[in-house]
Amino acid sequence: MSKMAAEGGGKEMNEIKSQFSTREGAYKLLTHSEYSRPNRVPFNSQGSNPVRVSFVNVNDQSGNGERICFNVGRELYFYIYKGVRKVVLQAADLSKPIDKRIYKGTQPTCHDFNHLTATAESVSLLVGFSAGQVQLIDPIKKETSKLFNEERLIDKSRVTCVKWVPGSESLFLVAHSSGSMYLYNVEHTCGTTAPHYQLLKQGENYSVHTCKSKSTRNPLLKWTVGEGALNEFSFSPDGKFLACVSQDGFLRVFNFDAVELHGTMKSYFGGLLCVCWSPDGKYIVAGGEDDLVTVWCFADCRVIARGHGHKSWVSVVAFDHYTTSVEESEPMEFSGSDEDFQDQIHFGRDRANSTQSRLSKRNSTDSRPVSVTYRFGSVGQDTQLCLWDLTEDILFPHLPLSRTRTHTNVMNASGPPATGSGGSGAIITGSSNPSTNGSSSSSSVPGNTLPAPLPRSNSLPHSAASTTNSKSAASDNPIAAGVSKFATLSLHDRKERHPDKDHKRNHSMGHISSKSSDKLNLLTKTKTDPAKTLGTQLCPRMEDVPLLEPLICKKIAHERLTVLIFLEDCIVTACQEGFICTWARPGKVGLLSSQNQANSPSGTVV
């Protein structure tokens, strides 16, 4: 804990960090790989919509198929993304974007590439706008193919989130600050009159309507979700479920095909602003105006942990698919040569592909226990990046007695647990990953008395298969095939939000342009007695769930952070001044410094 405190606190807090270290090594800011407006002048962000970043790989012949899109104010840019590769040879030439657009009267707010249809000659990019329209453009061909909600007959409010439906070349989902979501098909028109709707399904404080017209038109479906803005949504890795977070403070998870509510969670207070799924679809993390990150278990529909490290609103949460690790945690021998020890802490490339098989072994009773650590990150309006590890002792607190004894020994041998949380049951007592909780360094355990294998860096993009079983009961009953094709879920099983408490923030109130005042006015109408949810499964009290502390918590920008994306060889962040930064993972930029090679035995020099 003292190490963590030193990492994240004290006088260092005012310095902008250009590198930080975790147990897997040092992450380094690549100054040559910074993207921004061509003049590199900080953008005056007051009153502007958040800077967002989207990536797509077009698989061109050069081997550098990554493309990046970002919005700054009224401008939208599309560049070749160099990232970690070739960064040493030359910096990104910001004066030559592949495409640049400047909009008048409205600002881009969010965007998403269709990864299914992307080629070196053509990409489909959806862009949402502050006045409610959605544009479909091809920044390679420099074409604007379609404009949806052009006359604002469908919704006049700001677009908060737009995403292609997974596995579809033509369906996309759009959320608005009105609290509604709409499902569109790029092949259909929006009509010249306001749509008429027919009720399809209704639940507690949410309803789903189909569009009633003689010929098929957009939107195919409309979800009405509680009061206040719908701030973000995210599809599960298998595309079957949709998690939505709203200004009323609720996370709502829907079965996408059946248009049915699966479960809900309430923030500690205030709105929820961001949401993401674990790589295997078992857990959802949400963040928002309570300054917390909240971990929700999909199978049990309950909060299993909260994380406190930010000093202001949490704007983005994301899982790191490449640093989720799996370890064999049973017989742990307390003897062995130094050579054995080194073998076990090596990343072990020959076993790197076995993560999924070891994940699947967890559920079989005859195999050795397997320990999983999920890595996720968060950025906030406090300009800080936090990285978090979600470990076995939080996910499965009731371990068999034999394992509990083993881990007691582990913790005794490796020193006190690293997490001194603020409440009963919050201290991590039975960690099956001592290198994570006992120390944030990747070197060794004090005294070398037991092996501390480093987590193997793995990508789990397709591990949803192991989780679909746990969800199959909910997803095997889609309603009529016609609806299930395009049924997207938004949900409103809303319980009323708490009255705003006198939460005094250092940064936030001056920077809520993206959550504008009209939304706040709407919300004041929905205040109810906090006792209705606080202390229930919807919103447990702070002392009733474990409290996580961040592995690292670093100030990395001058302005509030709006982007956090984990890529295979780097982490990408962006701030409201319009600077997009690339942080090389350990060992991925050996050419930049010889010391980096020594730090990362597993890294490949690019």
Side-chain angles (χ1 to χ4, degrees), residues 215-527:
S215 57
T216 308
R217 61 164 285 183
N218 285 318
L220 302 176
L221 290 180
K222 173 187 179 179
W223 287 262
T224 307
V225 185
E227 291 93 6
L230 204 161
N231 289 322
E232 190 176 42
F233 61 81
S234 176
F235 285 98
S236 61
D238 62 6
K240 293 182 178 179
F241 291 84
L242 188 77
C244 311
V245 287
S246 300
Q247 195 63 33
D248 58 17
F250 276 87
L251 161 72
R252 301 177 178 88
V253 182
F254 287 99
N255 181 313
F256 186 79
D257 288 332
V259 201
E260 288 175 348
L261 183 61
H262 170 77
T264 59
M265 183 271 286
K266 174 72 174 63
S267 68
Y268 200 67
F269 61 83
L272 286 176
L273 306 177
C274 50
V275 64
C276 66
W277 292 79
S278 65
D280 55 11
K282 290 185 177 181
Y283 303 97
I284 294 173
V285 171
E289 296 174 358
D290 53 11
D291 302 357
L292 303 170
V293 292
T294 302
V295 185
W296 191 80
C297 174
F298 177 88
D300 298 339
C301 293
R302 67 182 182 88
V303 175
I304 58 167
R306 290 190 179 103
H308 185 247
H310 288 284
K311 299 179 178 62
S312 187
W313 297 358
V314 179
S315 49
V316 186
V317 286
F319 272 88
D320 184 351
H321 292 212
Y322 306 95
T323 313
T324 290
S325 63
V326 182
E327 298 174 10
E328 310 297 343
S329 61
E330 223 180 62
M332 276 199 169
E333 297 181 5
F334 289 81
S335 60
S337 66
D338 286 345
E339 185 178 340
D340 294 338
F341 178 75
Q342 291 301 325
D343 285 346
Q344 293 190 45
I345 68 166
H346 196 276
F347 275 86
R349 295 184 203 173
D350 56 329
R351 304 181 59 191
N353 295 326
S354 61
T355 306
Q356 288 190 46
S357 61
R358 284 179 285 155
L359 267 170
S360 61
K361 283 203 301 185
R362 137 180 319 295
N363 297 321
S364 60
T365 52
D366 55 350
S367 64
R368 286 188 287 173
V370 174
S371 165
V372 185
T373 300
Y374 296 89
R375 167 70 56 82
F376 66 94
S378 57
V379 295
Q381 297 197 2
D382 57 1
T383 72
Q384 294 195 118
L385 163 70
C386 292
L387 294 180
W388 313 80
D389 269 358
L390 189 59
T391 48
E392 187 89 340
D393 45 322
I394 299 295
L395 304 175
F396 305 98
H398 305 297
L399 298 173
L401 187 57
S402 59
R403 291 187 67 195
T404 306
R405 285 175 182 156
T406 302
H407 295 147
T408 302
N409 293 338
V410 168
M411 297 312 293
N412 289 344
S414 61
T419 319
S421 10
S424 61
I427 294 180
I428 295 181
T429 54
S431 167
S432 42
N433 188 351
S435 66
T436 303
N437 296 309
S439 162
S440 58
S441 111
S442 63
S443 52
S444 66
V445 176
N448 283 3
T449 51
L450 79 152
L454 274 176
R456 297 160 186 85
S457 186
N458 283 297
S459 164
L460 298 180
H462 305 299
S463 54
S466 61
T467 50
T468 24
N469 298 337
S470 67
K471 302 193 275 193
S472 58
S475 60
D476 281 348
N477 302 318
I479 58 178
V483 174
S484 68
K485 259 187 189 171
F486 49 78
T488 312
L489 341 86
S490 117
L491 53 108
H492 241 178
D493 139 282
R494 205 178 62 66
K495 304 273 190 290
E496 270 69 56
R497 97 191 255 282
H498 300 161
D500 281 335
K501 303 194 178 169
D502 289 329
H503 185 69
K504 298 193 167 50
R505 337 196 101 56
N506 306 332
H507 302 74
S508 322
M509 295 313 289
H511 300 297
I512 55 174
S513 54
S514 62
K515 311 289 172 279
S516 55
S517 57
D518 57 335
K519 202 181 308 177
L520 301 176
N521 294 337
L522 271 174
L523 291 173
T524 54
K525 303 172 186 173
T526 65
K527 292 185 179 181

Side-chain angles (χ1 to χ4, degrees), residues 162-220:
V162 60
K163 285 188 182 356
W164 292 96
V165 173
S168 174
E169 296 185 2
S170 57
L171 297 177
F172 62 93
L173 189 60
V174 182
H176 288 259
S177 59
S178 62
S180 295
M181 283 197 303
Y182 304 89
L183 183 69
Y184 288 82
N185 186 323
V186 293
E187 307 299 333
H188 299 159
T189 65
C190 290
T192 54
T193 58
H196 294 280
Y197 296 105
Q198 183 172 351
L199 184 65
L200 173 69
K201 187 166 290 192
Q202 197 163 16
E204 185 178 355
N205 289 311
Y206 80 94
S207 59
V208 183
H209 291 79
T210 56
C211 193
K212 197 167 94 176
S213 66
K214 291 179 181 176
S215 57
T216 308
R217 61 164 285 183
N218 285 318
L220 302 176

Side-chain angles (χ1 to χ4, degrees), residues 107-123:
Q107 293 187 0
T109 57
C110 50
H111 31 84
D112 189 43
F113 286 106
N114 192 322
H115 296 268
L116 276 183
T117 60
T119 67
E121 293 77 39
S122 173
V123 293

